[in-house]
Amino acid sequence: MQCLDDLFKWLRTEGGQVAVYDATNSTKDRRDEIRKRCGENGVEVIYVETLCTDQEQIAFNVRETKLFSPDYKNMSAEEAIQDFKKRIAQYEKAYETLEDDQLSYLKLINVGPERKIIINRPTVSIMARLASYAMNLHIQRRVIYLTRHGESEANRTGKIGLDTDLSADGVLYSAALATFLGKHLSRDADVKVWTSTMRRTIQTASRLSWDRVAWKALDEIDAGRCDGMSYEEIEQRMPEEFSMRKADKLTYRYPRGESYQDVMIRLEPILLEMERVTQPLVIVAHQAILRVLYGYLKDIPPTEVPNIEIPLHCVIELVPKTYGVEEQRHPLMIEPKLGSSPYS
Ligand code: F6P
């Protein structure tokens, strides 16, 4: 209940909009108490219940996730499994499923192809988005490779945006990328490769042996009237715009262009699709786009996202786990010496 009070404080005074109250609210009484308190605080409630009836899936889940939980830090695997089974049995004794038709709730039953989702009373607008998000989630282990395109002609001349070809070094990177991924992933594997619709990402991925999909949503942040200018030119010719972006890179929107916040919203369908994919996934995109995808996967606060380090000519290998994401960075060639963004 103290935690719930913290949650109200965050929603009321610290700019919070949606809070997830993750606790064992497994009895009707407890849920009623939460609803009462939320009502008193002007907060709408959606209950989310997840059920798993597949014994094999439960065993897999305990092995793959619970054993790494901080609760079992100093226990052997066998002890932890036994303890978790006891824990489930205890919960089952007291457990009351959600079935009150008057409540807004989402019930997620099992994962994988046999999954069933029940949406009751979708009066709160966010429920549809939550349901489609939940529909895409899975707990299979998979790898995601993120890389920027190879150096482009625009990078070489220090200009932002544009839709130029790769430079000679950029072409070398596309070959290095094909060799690297060829060593890590089998040619016959069902690998998903996504690019933007821009020449530099399509050219970078052109040597890969798997099918590619070009997404418009993966195109680089639209710099609007600043597209094709260098940072120095923007500073000289549009000093006000330059200082506004420097002051708040997350919400600043280029004239007739986009902000990082706009890009985050544009990428929502990509994030959903990224969650759904179980196969190895290679995303060849752009600096701002990859900052957002990486920030989402690594749970980085939005204000820090526009300054995340995503160098050229480097593959970022990510394996999402229940508690965090495993990361390895593989620089394949020396990073070109480009002027770094003065906004960071
Ligand atoms: O400079 C390469 C680039 O991809 C530009 O096209 C884009 O405007 C920029 O990076 C995004 O980085 P920042 O938000 O730091 O300006």
Side-chain angles (χ1 to χ4, degrees):
M1 289 304 155
Q2 269 176 6
C3 175
L4 200 58
D5 286 339
D6 277 355
L7 183 151
F8 294 139
K9 186 166 155 265
W10 180 73
L11 288 172
R12 266 201 310 255
T13 60
E14 293 167 34
Q17 294 178 326
V18 178
V20 180
Y21 179 58
D22 180 17
T24 320
N25 300 308
S26 42
T27 62
K28 191 172 171 305
D29 281 355
R30 236 169 112 156
R31 294 192 292 262
D32 286 347
E33 176 66 17
I34 291 167
R35 196 156 47 106
K36 189 174 133 257
R37 291 210 185 195
C38 285
E40 288 161 3
N41 283 275
V43 172
E44 286 182 291
V45 187
I46 305 167
Y47 295 98
V48 182
E49 177 177 13
T50 64
L51 290 161
C52 183
T53 54
D54 176 343
Q55 293 308 313
E56 251 177 60
Q57 187 69 58
I58 294 173
F60 171 84
N61 196 20
V62 173
R63 262 195 326 273
E64 290 292 306
T65 63
K66 303 298 174 199
L67 294 190
F68 304 105
S69 132
D71 290 354
Y72 293 127
K73 221 165 136 200
N74 299 316
M75 254 191 223
S76 74
E78 209 27 61
E79 276 175 313
I81 289 172
Q82 287 316 320
D83 182 84
F84 202 81
K85 281 187 179 160
K86 277 192 209 148
R87 200 195 277 201
I88 293 175
Q90 289 298 336
Y91 277 138
E92 272 172 350
K93 284 189 205 156
Y95 187 81
E96 291 164 341
T97 192
L98 273 171
E99 52 195 357
D100 182 346
D101 286 347
Q102 302 306 311
L103 301 179
S104 288
Y105 67 78
L106 212 64
K107 215 184 250 210
L108 315 171
I109 305 166
N110 291 326
V111 285
E114 70 281 6
R115 175 177 351 219
K116 187 166 162 183
I117 296 185
I118 298 169
I119 308 177
N120 191 65
R121 282 210 161 215
T123 46
V124 188
S125 65
I126 204 170
M127 278 180 85
R129 282 166 75 200
L130 204 59
S132 78
Y133 183 70
M135 228 147 71
N136 288 294
L137 295 177
H138 65 79
I139 55 170
Q140 252 163 275
R141 198 187 158 92
R142 49 53 189 279
V143 58
I144 301 173
Y145 293 99
L146 302 180
T147 175
R148 284 173 72 183
H149 50 81
E151 184 199 58
S152 68
E153 291 296 349
N155 291 145
R156 225 178 161 79
T157 49
K159 293 183 189 311
I160 64 168
L162 297 174
D163 188 14
T164 55
D165 292 322
L166 293 181
S167 70
D169 278 354
V171 173
L172 287 180
Y173 178 70
S174 86
L177 178 68
T179 310
F180 171 85
L181 291 174
K183 278 189 199 143
H184 282 71
L185 302 167
S186 146
R187 222 188 144 80
D188 307 321
D190 182 11
V191 176
K192 306 282 174 209
V193 181
W194 297 351
T195 68
S196 71
T197 63
M198 302 184 120
R199 304 166 75 89
R200 53 195 187 274
T201 60
I202 293 175
Q203 290 172 6
T204 304
S206 63
R207 289 175 164 76
L208 304 181
S209 32
W210 310 280
D211 289 346
R212 296 171 285 274
V213 178
W215 294 78
K216 180 77 184 143
L218 284 174
D219 285 0
E220 180 55 310
I221 188 169
D222 182 353
R225 280 181 46 217
C226 298
D227 189 72
M229 291 166 80
S230 66
Y231 292 120
E232 294 73 33
E233 271 177 88
I234 301 173
E235 189 173 11
Q236 279 162 18
R237 290 171 39 196
M238 306 166 85
E240 273 189 17
E241 296 294 330
F242 186 85
S243 6
M244 282 194 298
R245 189 165 202 248
K246 214 173 162 94
D248 188 351
K249 208 176 166 190
L250 174 66
T251 62
Y252 169 83
R253 179 179 284 148
Y254 279 112
R256 291 175 178 270
E258 290 178 304
S259 67
Y260 268 87
Q261 242 173 14
D262 294 330
V263 170
M264 287 172 179
I265 292 164
R266 151 151 83 88
L267 284 171
E268 207 174 276
I270 300 278
L271 297 179
L272 283 189
E273 196 57 23
M274 190 165 82
E275 288 291 2
R276 202 176 65 80
V277 168
T278 51
Q279 298 90 341
L281 175 62
V282 179
I283 304 181
V284 184
H286 306 265
Q287 177 154 251
I289 299 298
L290 293 175
R291 282 176 173 153
V292 174
L293 298 182
Y294 179 91
Y296 165 80
L297 288 164
K298 301 271 295 193
D299 198 16
I300 293 172
T303 48
E304 291 171 27
V305 164
N307 296 320
I308 296 171
E309 196 70 38
I310 308 279
L312 278 176
H313 299 176
C314 175
V315 180
I316 303 175
E317 179 180 352
L318 299 172
V319 179
K321 297 274 187 73
T322 314
Y323 299 97
V325 175
E326 255 175 35
E327 170 174 349
Q328 279 188 70
R329 291 197 172 211
H330 309 273
L332 300 189
M333 285 166 49
I334 294 166
E335 193 192 351
K337 281 208 175 49
L338 307 169
S340 62
S341 166
Y343 298 116
S344 307

